[in-house]
């Protein structure tokens, strides 16, 4: 099996093995841009939905949810946690770009389950400055989804909090499991 991280076989148009990973990405972009045509869409998602998910590289959200370019806003961070910055993005998404539904996706085997807030202390000891942000680690993925749903539903900045649903993506099966908010 070959992935984008695997060395590509030497074929016409393949990303060369020389240079940095960023160089490889820039080369791939040049090939992409050579065939690119403006799809003629604006920043408003066609489906009026914003998806908040973990940044984990195993989650191919568009494929997993059957989404196409322009269908949704996608907001990703470590854990898919609803932080102040996620609320900022959701507020802009709703108030200026017309979204009304929010889908929250956490996943099995998340790296945040293995971290604690001690990570911040470790960083402080290493670099001499304590991060202002919280790690937002958790032990129970379902409870963390519930907490994220609650943060969205109680935000005074969001216009639409009635269609907020949370899920856990199983990285072994690719299936979503809905989390009861109660």
């Amino acid at each position: 099996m070959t992935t984008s991280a695997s060395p590509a076989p030497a074929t016409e148009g393949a990303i060369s093995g020389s240079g940095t990973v960023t160089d490889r990405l820039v080369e791939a972009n040049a090939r992409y841009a050579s065939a690119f045509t403006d799809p003629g869409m604006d920043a408003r998602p066609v489906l009026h939905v914003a998806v908040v998910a973990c940044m984990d590289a195993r989650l191919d959200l568009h494929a997993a949810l059957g989404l196409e370019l322009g269908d949704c806003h996608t907001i990703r961070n470590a854990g898919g946690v609803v932080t102040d910055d996620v609320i900022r993005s959701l507020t802009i998404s709703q108030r200026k770009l017309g979204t009304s539904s929010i889908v929250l996706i956490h996943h099995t085997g998340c790296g945040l389950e293995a971290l604690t807030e001690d990570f911040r202390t470790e960083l402080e000891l290493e670099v001499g400055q304590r991060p202002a942000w919280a790690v937002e680690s958790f032990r129970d993925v379902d409870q963390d989804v519930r907490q994220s749903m609650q943060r969205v539903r109680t935000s005074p900045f969001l216009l639409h909090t009635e269609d907020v649903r949370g899920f856990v993506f199983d990285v072994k099966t690719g299936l979503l499991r809905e989390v009861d908010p109660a």
Side-chain angles (χ1 to χ4, degrees):
M1 177 170 121
T2 304
T3 65
S4 63
S6 302
T11 60
E12 177 87 21
I15 296 174
S16 69
S18 64
T20 67
V21 171
T22 304
D23 292 335
R24 291 174 54 201
L25 298 176
V26 171
E27 285 178 32
N29 174 257
R31 283 191 303 284
Y32 170 79
S34 70
F36 182 80
T37 56
D38 181 356
M41 45 178 85
D42 67 14
R44 296 175 185 275
V46 173
L47 298 179
H48 306 285
V49 64
V51 178
V52 178
C54 185
M55 66 185 192
D56 192 294
R58 297 172 288 181
L59 277 69
D60 182 349
L61 292 175
H62 276 73
L65 300 175
L67 296 167
E68 299 292 330
L69 181 68
D71 282 348
C72 72
H73 283 157
T74 306
I75 303 160
R76 296 182 79 158
N77 67 20
V81 177
V82 175
T83 61
D84 286 345
D85 193 58
V86 168
I87 294 293
R88 177 187 72 86
S89 293
L90 289 172
T91 301
I92 293 166
S93 178
Q94 285 190 354
R95 290 180 177 266
K96 296 300 180 185
L97 297 166
T99 61
S100 55
S101 298
I102 298 172
V103 174
L104 306 172
I105 301 178
H106 289 37
H107 65 91
T108 58
C110 185
L112 283 186
E113 292 175 290
L115 288 177
T116 67
E117 290 299 320
D118 290 339
F119 181 65
R120 294 172 68 217
T121 303
E122 294 166 13
L123 285 172
E124 181 180 21
L125 292 172
E126 180 183 331
V127 303
Q129 181 177 343
R130 187 170 187 82
W133 40 262
V135 174
E136 298 276 358
S137 61
F138 57 88
R139 296 285 175 255
D140 180 338
V141 67
D142 286 40
Q143 183 54 36
D144 202 57
V145 171
R146 283 186 203 95
Q147 176 177 287
S148 289
M149 285 190 281
Q150 184 65 19
R151 286 179 177 173
V152 168
R153 287 190 173 123
T154 59
S155 173
F157 305 110
L158 297 174
L159 295 171
H160 308 286
T161 58
E162 56 283 345
D163 188 13
V164 178
R165 294 173 65 185
F167 300 85
V168 175
F169 177 87
D170 187 313
V171 297
K172 301 286 188 206
T173 67
L175 289 172
L176 287 177
R177 177 177 52 78
E178 190 157 8
V179 175
D180 184 359

